[in-house]
Amino acid sequence: MSLVLDPAAQDLLFREARTANTFTDEPVTEEQVQAIYDLVKYGPTAFNQTPLRITLVRSAEARERLVRHMAEGNQPKTAAAPLVAILSADNEFHQELPALLPHFPQAKDLFFAERPVRESSALLNATLQAAYFIVGIRAAGLAAGPMTGLDFAAVQKEFLDDDHTPLMVVNIGKPGEDASFPRSPRLAYEDVVTTI
Ligand SMILES: Cc1cc2nc3c(=O)[nH]c(=O)nc-3n(C[C@H](O)[C@H](O)[C@H](O)COP(=O)(O)O)c2cc1C
């Protein structure tokens, strides 16, 4: 009774949501992806920065190029998923900070003048946004299959540039037959939480 979120929504987002390894042929539309982004863009980040970039791999030609850079075990599902997204972190996110943080535009130069600082901040905050994105995919009644089993350097060279660091590739769609592996255990509250 401690959670105020509707139990069906709790199930949809977490308890019954599973990582999918197979998908139906049902397409994932531009409207669905936009609805997902327009929901999860409200997830919090440091200084309200928005370093996450999402590259939707829609053409067959681009999909083929991406599949080549996936780990062998990830190739068949990446080839077959209705939609595949490359998530990356924009290390030049500070350029947008004055617009995104209008009450403190000096943050751009005060905190993010140095590239290494930007890279670590972009990595943390874009990864947070990637997690929000995965939960958003579930909110749309779809399943996500996030993957880091890939050649990151090759994906960056082929699809991104020096300012964009790839984080993961995500398969998106309605789960197909035998879509998920057996649910693995999770650590219990007492294993994770300490109070001081
Ligand atoms: C960042 C990230 C990277 C992952 N990389 C891979 C991967 O390369 N290949 C794969 O088959 N599964 C990958 N997974 C899937 C996880 O193993 C899966 O989400 C986790 O075991 C939970 O599964 P469940 O949602 O079915 O409980 C990845 C998941 C995340 C979040």
Side-chain angles (χ1 to χ4, degrees):
M1 292 307 287
S2 300
L3 301 177
V4 298
L5 188 68
D6 180 80
Q10 296 174 28
D11 288 343
L12 181 75
L13 299 181
F14 293 103
R15 265 187 232 100
E16 287 176 11
R18 300 298 313 279
T19 299
N21 298 288
T22 69
F23 298 90
T24 69
D25 291 338
E26 193 175 317
V28 177
T29 65
E30 211 56 33
E31 290 71 25
Q32 284 173 300
V33 182
Q34 179 144 13
I36 292 165
Y37 180 73
D38 284 339
L39 177 68
V40 305
K41 69 184 179 186
Y42 293 109
T45 58
F47 291 99
N48 199 34
Q49 65 189 266
T50 305
L52 178 69
R53 295 292 177 270
I54 302 167
T55 307
L56 299 177
V57 183
R58 285 212 181 267
S59 77
E61 171 271 325
R63 179 79 68 100
E64 208 177 299
R65 283 193 287 135
L66 175 62
V67 166
R68 269 189 250 135
H69 301 312
M70 301 302 295
E72 208 178 318
N74 288 333
Q75 288 186 354
K77 54 190 172 189
T78 307
L83 181 63
V84 181
I86 301 168
L87 305 191
S88 62
D90 182 356
N91 297 305
E92 297 299 297
F93 68 86
H94 65 311
Q95 302 294 356
E96 294 149 356
L97 263 197
L100 293 173
L101 202 68
H103 63 280
F104 187 31
Q106 311 90 301
K108 169 179 177 270
D109 297 322
L110 266 179
F111 296 103
F112 297 112
E114 311 278 341
R115 171 83 177 208
V117 174
R118 291 203 297 278
E119 284 179 5
S120 63
S121 191
L123 178 64
L124 173 64
N125 288 284
T127 304
L128 273 175
Q129 289 193 285
Y132 304 144
F133 184 66
I134 290 169
V135 176
I137 289 169
R138 294 170 167 189
L142 300 169
M147 295 166 293
T148 47
L150 56 109
D151 182 337
F152 282 92
V155 167
Q156 180 166 19
K157 190 158 180 254
E158 181 111 32
F159 297 99
L160 305 168
D161 58 32
D162 286 347
D163 290 335
H164 293 82
T165 306
L167 299 172
M168 67 187 76
V169 168
V170 186
N171 293 329
I172 306 169
K174 284 260 165 70
E177 264 181 54
D178 297 323
S180 46
F181 302 126
R183 184 72 120 175
S184 298
R186 302 301 203 254
L187 291 181
Y189 179 84
E190 14 347 315
D191 299 324
V192 171
V193 179
T194 46
T195 304
I196 54 173

